[in-house]
Amino acid sequence: MGSKVNKSYYGYFFIAPFFIGFAVFGLAPILYTLYLSFMKWDGFNDPVYVGIANYTRLLHDSFFYQTIGNSLLIWILSNAPQLILAMLLALVLNEKFIRGKHFFRAVYFFPHIITPVTLGVIFSLMFDWQTGSINKILLSLGIIENPVNWFNSPWWARVITSAVVAWQYFGFNMIIFIAGLQSIPNEVFEAAEVDGATKTQTAIHITLPLLKPVFLFVFITSVIGGLQLFDAPLILGDGPDNTARTMVMYLYETAFKNFDYSYGAAVAYGIFIVVMFFTAITARASKLND
């Protein structure tokens, strides 16, 4: 019995709001940013066409290269502990014998629903060198003799920024890993149990290989999101000698604090190329392992 395809055009009216919204609030700003990147505009006078001058300036901008390095360091420092913790918690909270696992999943996911600005404020208060609770705890335990000025150290500034990011996203990644674990058929684990495999052997030789597509998804989304950090690092500050300033912070400062909107547009496209480059490397590396 043949099926009949309904070719009514009324369906387009129902999907039109999304495409109209995307065209107005997504595509139009992208194209306008591209237009601005070839102009010189301070937001007050009329734009003046300058060709590729902004991109030439970007190629010789040492501050932009510094922000690329900072973003990569913060991404590495936040991503490694974040994924390890998320994977371990997912393995534990996916076990049937764990009581209250739904409660713990909600608790660990909770930091993800807090805004990055709020987390930035909390961590900046915790690590304040004069009134912060971290210094007070370390002093009371006798671990340090004098308060540590955490944000005056390049590496501590980066580590604290990474800690904020890791704290915010490890619960989200844990939920993704749990969803991946629950998609693996139980027959696979039952067969491993019949063959006498231990929990550790099952995790290493069965669970982790079958979770490879989930790892790839988490890794690529973390690359895209991790290199666009802005909110929390902005609250925590640039660090000494701008050692904690990220690429998007540089874009914000260039366009909206220095009123150099045209060069900020070129920085935006530079960030886009950097993110796409590292995303392509990640995707390519995953294919090489097939």
Side-chain angles (χ1 to χ4, degrees):
M1 186 174 178
S3 59
K4 207 173 196 178
V5 177
N6 188 349
K7 295 185 178 178
S8 172
Y9 292 103
Y10 288 111
Y12 291 108
F13 289 103
F14 292 99
I15 62 173
F18 167 77
F19 288 101
I20 293 172
F22 173 74
V24 173
F25 299 107
L27 186 60
I30 291 171
L31 295 177
Y32 187 64
T33 303
L34 181 63
Y35 160 77
L36 278 183
S37 68
F38 293 102
M39 313 297 283
K40 182 172 180 56
W41 189 48
D42 59 4
F44 300 100
N45 301 306
D46 292 334
V48 178
Y49 178 73
V50 294
I52 60 171
N54 287 320
Y55 291 101
T56 305
R57 177 183 167 189
L58 184 64
L59 288 174
H60 297 87
D61 190 345
S62 59
F63 290 113
F64 181 63
Y65 293 117
Q66 184 191 26
T67 60
I68 294 175
N70 293 340
S71 300
L72 285 172
L73 281 173
I74 292 170
W75 175 76
I76 293 169
L77 290 172
S78 66
N79 216 42
Q82 177 192 155
L83 293 185
I84 293 171
L85 182 61
M87 187 70 243
L88 290 175
L89 286 172
L91 288 171
V92 172
L93 295 179
N94 194 49
E95 291 293 336
K96 294 178 181 176
F97 62 86
I98 299 293
R99 291 185 177 180
K101 56 186 177 184
H102 298 294
F103 170 76
F104 288 110
R105 288 175 187 175
V107 169
Y108 292 131
F109 186 77
F110 181 71
H112 185 65
I113 66 176
I114 302 176
T115 62
V117 173
T118 306
L119 288 177
V121 171
I122 293 172
F123 274 71
S124 65
L125 293 174
M126 286 170 54
F127 285 92
D128 185 272
W129 76 282
Q130 291 177 311
T131 60
S133 55
I134 299 297
N135 271 338
K136 289 183 178 177
I137 292 172
L138 294 177
L139 284 169
S140 63
L141 294 175
I143 297 175
I144 58 175
E145 295 181 355
N146 297 304
V148 179
N149 193 343
W150 305 98
F151 294 106
N152 201 33
S153 162
W155 279 104
W156 276 120
R158 290 169 179 151
V159 168
I160 293 169
T161 304
S162 305
V164 175
V165 179
W167 179 251
Q168 183 179 15
Y169 288 103
F170 84 95
F172 174 78
N173 288 325
M174 179 197 71
I175 295 297
I176 299 293
F177 283 133
I178 288 175
L181 287 169
Q182 293 182 349
S183 69
I184 300 173
N186 283 330
E187 291 80 4
V188 177
F189 296 113
E190 290 170 359
E193 190 175 352
V194 170
D195 290 341
T198 63
K199 290 286 184 185
T200 306
Q201 289 172 328
T202 303
I204 294 174
H205 298 292
I206 295 177
T207 307
L208 295 181
L210 290 176
L211 281 179
K212 187 178 175 183
V214 180
F215 273 113
L216 180 62
F217 170 78
V218 170
F219 214 65
I220 288 179
T221 53
S222 71
V223 169
I224 296 172
L227 294 180
Q228 299 182 74
L229 291 174
F230 173 66
D231 316 61
L234 185 69
I235 299 299
L236 295 170
D238 290 339
D241 297 326
N242 299 318
T243 48
R245 182 165 63 176
T246 65
M247 291 188 290
V248 182
M249 287 170 67
Y250 184 54
L251 161 63
Y252 168 76
E253 291 169 4
T254 302
F256 300 105
K257 292 179 76 175
N258 299 329
F259 300 104
D260 195 348
Y261 294 101
S262 51
Y263 186 58
V267 172
Y269 273 92
I271 293 171
F272 170 75
I273 292 170
V274 171
V275 172
M276 288 299 102
F277 175 74
F278 285 103
T279 304
I281 289 178
T282 306
R284 179 66 179 168
S286 67
K287 287 182 180 177
L288 290 176
N289 291 330
D290 286 339

